[in-house]
Amino acid sequence: MQIQGFSFTSEFWEYAQLTNGGRPVCSSKERSLFLTANVGLYLGNSKIENYQNGRLYLTNLRLIYVPYQPNEALEKKIGLSLNLAYIENVQFQAGFMRSSPKILLILTQISPDLEQETLHKTLNWDCPICFQSNKCDLKVGSRFNVPKCEVCGVSANVDELNKLKVEKQIISRSKTNKGDTNIIPNSVNRTNNAANKLKLHEGRKPNSLKDDLSNEISLSSKPVFCMSVKTDATDRFCFKLSFRDGGARIFYDKLKFALGQAKWLRADSKLQVNAGALRVARNISATDADIQSIPSNVNSKLNFDSTEKRAGIHGLETLTSLRNTEVSTFLNSSLRDLQNLMDKSKDLAKIGDDYRRMLMSSKILDEEVGQAVELLSRSRNSLKLLGNLLNDRESINEANDFYTVESLNLLKQTGGAEAGSSLYVEELSRQLYDFIIEENIIGDKNGLITALDLYCLFNKRKGFYSISPRNFLLAIISLERLNPDLQLIELKLQSLQKIERGTAREIPEKARSLYAICSSTMNAKSISRSVLDVLESVKFEGYSALEFQGMCSLQTNLLLLQSVLNALTKDGVLCVDSTLQGEKYYKNEILHFEAQS
Amino acid sequence: MSFKFPTIYDFPPFFTKQIHSQTLETQKSHWIQLILDYCQYNKIWILSLNGESGDSALDHVDPQDEDDDDDYAEVTKQSIFTNNKIDRSLKSEFIMEIYNEMISKEKAEWVNPKNHKHGIIVYWHTLEEWANIIFEWVSASLTCILTFRLTLQGRATLC
């Protein structure tokens, strides 16, 4: 039986990019706050068929829904996002009988003040006195409320403003006519043309739409929601989130908090709060403000009475002088950094010369060596300091880590139930996978890293919050699910000495295996073959694991190589020669000798 | 002309106890055969714990001492279990294992079962083989009555 389906697109929801681990990609200003799993989406009271099971991430800017995919490694990773600015109100609906608890999202019917929308709503005009480019609201340009120049305070010419307004409207109309008819063309007209918001595509099956999704998804397009029943036009502003694994109440509290925070951030960005406050960092680079390196002494030096906006020529002069001072401060700081860099490079060049002389004369003078070492150590510290100054990206990452850790911690606290703890492990696994990919850990570590090393690196990166070894192990076990190119292997590291029966009773059995994560291309069989090829070419000669590793054909991780050698020895393919210098591995001639005799 | 060791004697892993069971069994049988051949060639009847031959190694052992609290004996350079050419020697624990294997196969016997420090008697012929050899020798060449002592010290002794 074929179910007649309906589909629609909503302008509120957008596709969201996900990381390799299936987590949402957050901007530098975005912080992950909470996560819950097994969430279903509803439009009004109707189920959205293709989004009935997924993870819901809450950040300080967006709600991100990541649909469940049975095979994440193969399927395209893409999620849906809803900007918190669209949410006008939220309501909590407790579960009853078989009905799961839900959160009702009532979306705004007035155009939300998002950055891209303000572009359409604002008008740019140039001051006739100071030629400063100013912005004003389209609604503002009346005779009674004339905008003034932000710099010199001179009022705008109303007639000119009206002309600009008409031109802008014509341009925006022509743009919308060219655009996709399924998507609302102009947000200004949203309230008048509400019917345009929801385009129903009748007669299409949900399954076919699913296929379309996986094949033809681009981030600029809008997600398609499939439904089995037709919804009313009034439901288009009401979305419901159904929490089948519980945790709705906590999510609701978090969402309320995030909405409050998002509201404040929007107001702050629109200068509705702290109006007139000087924003040094934003003036430098509005696009990447929080990545800018601002020396700590800048704020203290810029001790001007500039928090008030000053109008007129005097204000213009003050602001110009303020900007000049600001720019000169930055220039000075940059020049100082350059000077430091130059000094350090001179030091390094000097060290290079010293070493060259030492090597050429082949006479090691203790005094010279001492000086060079001292110079080297000083340079190293200075370079480290300089590196820290220049590399502000690290501090951004640390801040992001803090928030991801916070959300993880919250998951752990709330995850008393089994479902919660599995979600915690799953999310930890995703974070771990992102960490491995971002830091290129597998590539840097010769294709293999032990779980212990990864555990230390991960905990170090996460700072004060430590993951327990057990949870970490559970997380790395599920890494393979996210990427089949990674595999968890167990390296047998037990000593080659046999424990006698008598002594075995006295010594408790200890786990002598070691977990490691490596690329799936790192195959024990291929390593074994290479080892045997090497040994075939020589007779009565053996090599240690390190010597094997040094050979071109066997440039692999030492631990894995050692593990393979031990396995081959246990299988009787190789035999071992143990001395105080270490163990050397030979082809098993002992068995062959029996055949000769 | 000195005894010619087999090529396996110059193979370094031959002096390390192997962990693979089949390899270990083969290794022990090689060692037993080597000991028997070596003792036969050099007419060695008693082998000490450290693999030295004859009475010299047993000089320091008190024959009346019946305590057997330690089977450890340092392997010297003169021992059969040391290959100076490749600088390898067997560990005393493994030597004991080989000796026990020999005894279980009736190729050797403790001189004093209560004190292993006296070493082992190596049967490079089993007792039955010896009996047959003596019988054949007596039947073929004995024309007069000889005491046991004279048989051992005679010119035409068996060994």
Side-chain angles (χ1 to χ4, degrees):
Chain A
M1 194 178 87
Q2 288 189 343
I3 299 167
Q4 189 74 10
F6 303 93
S7 67
F8 72 94
T9 55
S10 170
E11 64 171 330
F12 299 109
W13 290 88
E14 291 170 340
Y15 282 122
Q17 203 180 351
L18 302 181
T19 61
N20 292 311
R23 292 167 55 238
V25 176
C26 294
S27 65
S28 59
K29 290 177 185 174
E30 196 170 14
R31 310 278 178 251
S32 179
L33 297 177
F34 198 59
L35 160 70
T36 186
N38 200 0
V39 177
L41 281 187
Y42 284 70
L43 178 71
N45 288 322
S46 312
K47 275 185 184 177
I48 298 173
E49 301 288 346
N50 53 339
Y51 295 111
Q52 278 306 299
N53 185 8
R55 296 190 309 282
L56 190 64
Y57 289 85
L58 174 67
T59 72
N60 59 339
L61 298 179
R62 292 182 295 167
L63 266 177
I64 299 135
Y65 183 85
V66 183
Y68 170 75
Q69 284 161 335
N71 195 348
E72 289 188 51
L74 299 175
E75 292 183 32
K76 201 166 187 176
K77 289 167 183 163
I78 203 147
L80 314 180
S81 76
L82 175 70
N83 200 314
L84 294 185
Y86 288 131
I87 301 173
E88 196 173 70
N89 199 7
V90 288
Q91 284 176 14
F92 182 77
Q93 298 177 342
F96 180 70
M97 301 291 278
R98 291 182 63 191
S99 167
S100 307
K102 293 183 179 67
I103 293 175
L104 175 65
L105 306 174
I106 301 163
L107 305 184
T108 180
Q109 299 191 22
I110 312 160
S111 70
D113 299 322
L114 300 180
E115 278 180 32
Q116 65 264 31
E117 307 236 334
T118 51
L119 289 175
H120 296 293
K121 288 186 72 184
T122 54
L123 195 62
N124 290 330
W125 63 277
D126 296 331
C127 174
I129 303 297
C130 65
F131 302 106
Q132 167 75 20
S133 178
N134 294 289
K135 284 180 181 177
C136 75
D137 202 315
L138 273 173
K139 298 170 187 170
V140 169
S142 67
R143 294 271 172 198
F144 306 102
N145 190 6
V146 182
K148 289 180 179 178
C149 174
E150 285 178 0
V151 177
C152 65
V154 172
S155 301
N157 187 333
V158 177
D159 295 333
E160 287 293 324
L161 274 184
N162 285 335
K163 273 185 195 173
L164 286 170
K165 204 188 285 183
V166 171
E167 280 173 21
K168 172 124 183 158
Q169 281 171 354
I170 292 166
I171 292 166
S172 64
R173 271 178 205 151
S174 63
K175 276 183 184 171
T176 51
N177 289 337
K178 287 175 191 171
D180 187 0
T181 52
N182 284 350
I183 299 163
I184 300 305
N186 192 344
S187 59
V188 180
N189 298 327
R190 181 183 292 152
T191 48
N192 299 330
N193 303 320
N196 288 343
K197 284 179 182 175
L198 212 62
K199 289 282 180 182
L200 295 173
H201 310 276
E202 296 185 22
R204 292 187 69 181
K205 279 177 273 179
N207 285 342
S208 65
L209 282 163
K210 256 186 198 175
D211 295 341
D212 289 351
L213 265 182
S214 57
N215 293 331
E216 298 171 11
I217 284 174
S218 71
L219 287 173
S220 56
S221 63
K222 297 281 180 184
V224 180
F225 297 118
C226 306
M227 309 188 63
S228 54
V229 289
K230 197 172 180 179
T231 53
D232 297 333
T234 50
D235 285 342
R236 63 187 171 268
F237 298 109
C238 297
F239 281 86
K240 270 186 197 170
L241 308 168
S242 174
F243 294 82
R244 303 208 174 89
D245 281 349
R249 176 57 75 178
I250 302 166
F251 196 90
Y252 177 73
D253 293 341
K254 288 279 160 193
L255 182 61
K256 289 279 273 183
F257 170 75
L259 284 172
Q261 207 179 23
K263 199 174 173 184
W264 170 265
L265 283 172
R266 276 203 310 283
D268 188 41
S269 65
K270 285 170 61 189
L271 304 176
Q272 285 175 353
V273 290
N274 295 330
L278 184 68
R279 288 147 202 274
V280 176
R282 288 184 188 184
N283 286 342
I284 296 158
S285 169
T287 53
D288 206 1
D290 51 359
I291 301 172
Q292 285 293 324
S293 162
I294 303 164
S296 57
N297 56 353
V298 171
N299 289 331
S300 59
K301 281 185 181 179
L302 294 173
N303 190 16
F304 307 108
D305 290 331
S306 53
T307 50
E308 294 173 12
K309 223 178 232 180
R310 295 193 176 192
I313 302 297
H314 181 65
L316 189 64
E317 279 178 359
T318 314
L319 275 177
T320 313
S321 67
L322 171 67
R323 281 183 186 170
N324 285 340
T325 319
E326 194 182 289
V327 169
S328 64
T329 311
F330 274 102
L331 276 175
N332 281 337
S333 166
S334 310
L335 286 171
R336 257 203 315 276
D337 287 347
L338 278 174
Q339 186 62 44
N340 282 339
L341 200 61
M342 198 179 282
D343 290 346
K344 298 308 157 200
S345 63
K346 280 178 186 170
D347 285 351
L348 283 173
K350 191 171 177 299
I351 293 167
D353 280 346
D354 288 348
Y355 278 124
R356 190 168 54 81
R357 273 192 286 116
M358 267 167 50
L359 290 172
M360 293 291 279
S361 62
S362 71
K363 285 180 182 175
I364 299 169
L365 300 172
D366 290 343
E367 199 178 332
E368 272 190 31
V369 172
Q371 281 175 358
V373 168
E374 195 188 337
L375 201 60
L376 186 67
S377 109
R378 269 196 288 123
S379 305
R380 196 186 60 180
N381 289 335
S382 308
L383 281 172
K384 207 174 175 182
L385 205 68
L386 205 61
N388 284 343
L389 278 174
L390 295 171
N391 198 1
D392 278 346
R393 179 59 78 181
E394 275 181 20
S395 59
I396 301 283
N397 284 341
E398 276 171 20
N400 277 335
D401 286 342
F402 172 77
Y403 283 100
T404 50
V405 159
E406 274 293 297
S407 63
L408 250 186
N409 207 9
L410 203 67
L411 268 181
K412 197 180 179 184
Q413 284 167 7
T414 56
E418 201 173 312
S421 60
S422 67
L423 181 64
Y424 169 78
V425 169
E426 191 186 326
E427 183 61 12
L428 181 61
S429 173
R430 290 175 195 284
Q431 287 195 10
L432 199 57
Y433 181 63
D434 285 341
F435 176 69
I436 290 170
I437 298 296
E438 279 167 23
E439 304 286 325
N440 191 22
I441 285 174
I442 299 294
D444 288 349
K445 303 276 178 188
N446 235 349
L448 180 140
I449 184 169
T450 62
L452 186 65
D453 284 349
L454 185 64
Y455 177 71
C456 294
L457 284 173
F458 190 68
N459 269 340
K460 190 181 171 191
R461 171 75 183 271
K462 294 295 169 191
F464 56 90
Y465 177 71
S466 293
I467 314 291
S468 76
R470 181 181 158 70
N471 285 333
F472 187 81
L473 182 63
L474 291 172
I476 55 175
I477 284 169
S478 55
L479 267 180
E480 279 181 55
R481 191 172 55 84
L482 295 170
N483 188 353
D485 291 340
L486 287 181
Q487 59 178 352
L488 179 71
I489 56 169
E490 192 178 353
L491 301 175
K492 299 280 183 188
L493 294 177
Q494 69 265 42
S495 164
L496 288 173
Q497 292 297 322
K498 248 188 176 175
I499 299 170
E500 299 299 327
R501 280 181 190 174
T503 53
R505 282 177 201 157
E506 295 161 14
I507 304 164
E509 184 89 9
K510 285 181 186 173
R512 290 175 185 273
S513 62
L514 194 65
Y515 289 108
I517 297 138
C518 67
S519 59
S520 53
T521 51
M522 193 169 278
N523 192 341
K525 275 186 185 172
S526 64
I527 297 171
S528 310
R529 190 64 260 163
S530 305
V531 167
L532 292 175
D533 285 345
V534 169
L535 292 176
E536 289 281 352
S537 59
V538 291
K539 198 175 182 186
F540 275 38
E541 265 193 57
Y543 300 100
S544 66
L546 269 173
E547 285 169 337
F548 272 120
Q549 197 199 17
M551 292 171 192
C552 294
S553 57
L554 277 166
Q555 280 184 343
T556 183
N557 187 281
L558 183 66
L559 273 174
L560 184 62
L561 184 62
Q562 183 73 60
S563 172
V564 169
L565 289 172
N566 286 351
L568 286 173
T569 312
K570 280 182 81 177
D571 290 345
V573 181
L574 302 184
C575 53
V576 67
D577 170 35
S578 294
T579 59
L580 286 175
Q581 287 82 23
E583 286 167 346
K584 282 194 172 189
Y585 297 88
Y586 293 74
K587 198 181 163 199
N588 196 345
E589 300 287 350
I590 298 172
L591 280 175
H592 291 201
F593 191 76
E594 184 186 36
Q596 288 168 13
S597 62
Chain B
M1 190 181 155
S2 62
F3 177 73
K4 194 187 174 191
F5 285 98
T7 50
I8 195 78
Y9 192 69
D10 291 336
F11 187 52
F14 192 54
F15 290 82
T16 299
K17 186 181 170 185
Q18 297 301 314
I19 54 166
H20 182 238
S21 55
Q22 196 188 341
T23 310
L24 180 63
E25 287 305 312
T26 316
Q27 186 185 15
K28 281 196 277 193
S29 67
H30 286 329
W31 268 114
I32 291 169
Q33 193 57 50
L34 175 64
I35 292 166
L36 293 175
D37 293 346
Y38 179 80
C39 289
Q40 185 173 17
Y41 185 84
N42 292 305
K43 302 283 190 291
I44 296 169
W45 292 96
I46 293 172
L47 209 55
S48 67
L49 281 183
N50 60 7
E52 284 185 49
S53 62
D55 299 329
S56 60
L58 303 174
D59 285 347
H60 61 282
V61 180
D62 182 6
Q64 302 302 320
D65 186 10
E66 301 243 321
D67 287 337
D68 186 20
D69 49 355
D70 188 12
D71 284 343
Y72 176 79
E74 196 178 343
V75 181
T76 58
K77 285 193 173 181
Q78 292 76 38
S79 165
I80 183 181
F81 300 120
T82 299
N83 186 340
N84 295 317
K85 187 177 156 191
I86 59 168
D87 194 23
R88 295 287 188 280
S89 58
L90 274 190
K91 286 186 177 175
S92 56
E93 294 87 5
F94 192 35
I95 296 172
M96 280 301 292
E97 206 174 321
I98 293 167
Y99 281 181
N100 284 326
E101 182 93 5
M102 285 177 80
I103 290 163
S104 69
K105 288 183 176 174
E106 296 180 346
K107 301 278 184 189
E109 200 175 318
W110 291 113
V111 174
N112 182 353
K114 290 180 181 174
N115 188 350
H116 294 170
K117 285 175 186 169
H118 291 94
I120 54 167
I121 303 166
V122 182
Y123 296 140
W124 27 274
H125 287 303
T126 60
L127 291 176
E128 285 173 4
E129 284 169 354
W130 275 122
N132 287 331
I133 291 167
I134 292 168
F135 181 76
E136 281 170 19
W137 178 73
V138 169
S139 328
S141 57
L142 199 63
T143 52
C144 59
I145 295 169
L146 283 177
T147 61
F148 180 68
R149 188 183 176 87
L150 283 172
T151 312
L152 284 175
Q153 291 176 349
R155 245 186 243 173
T157 49
L158 292 166
C159 34

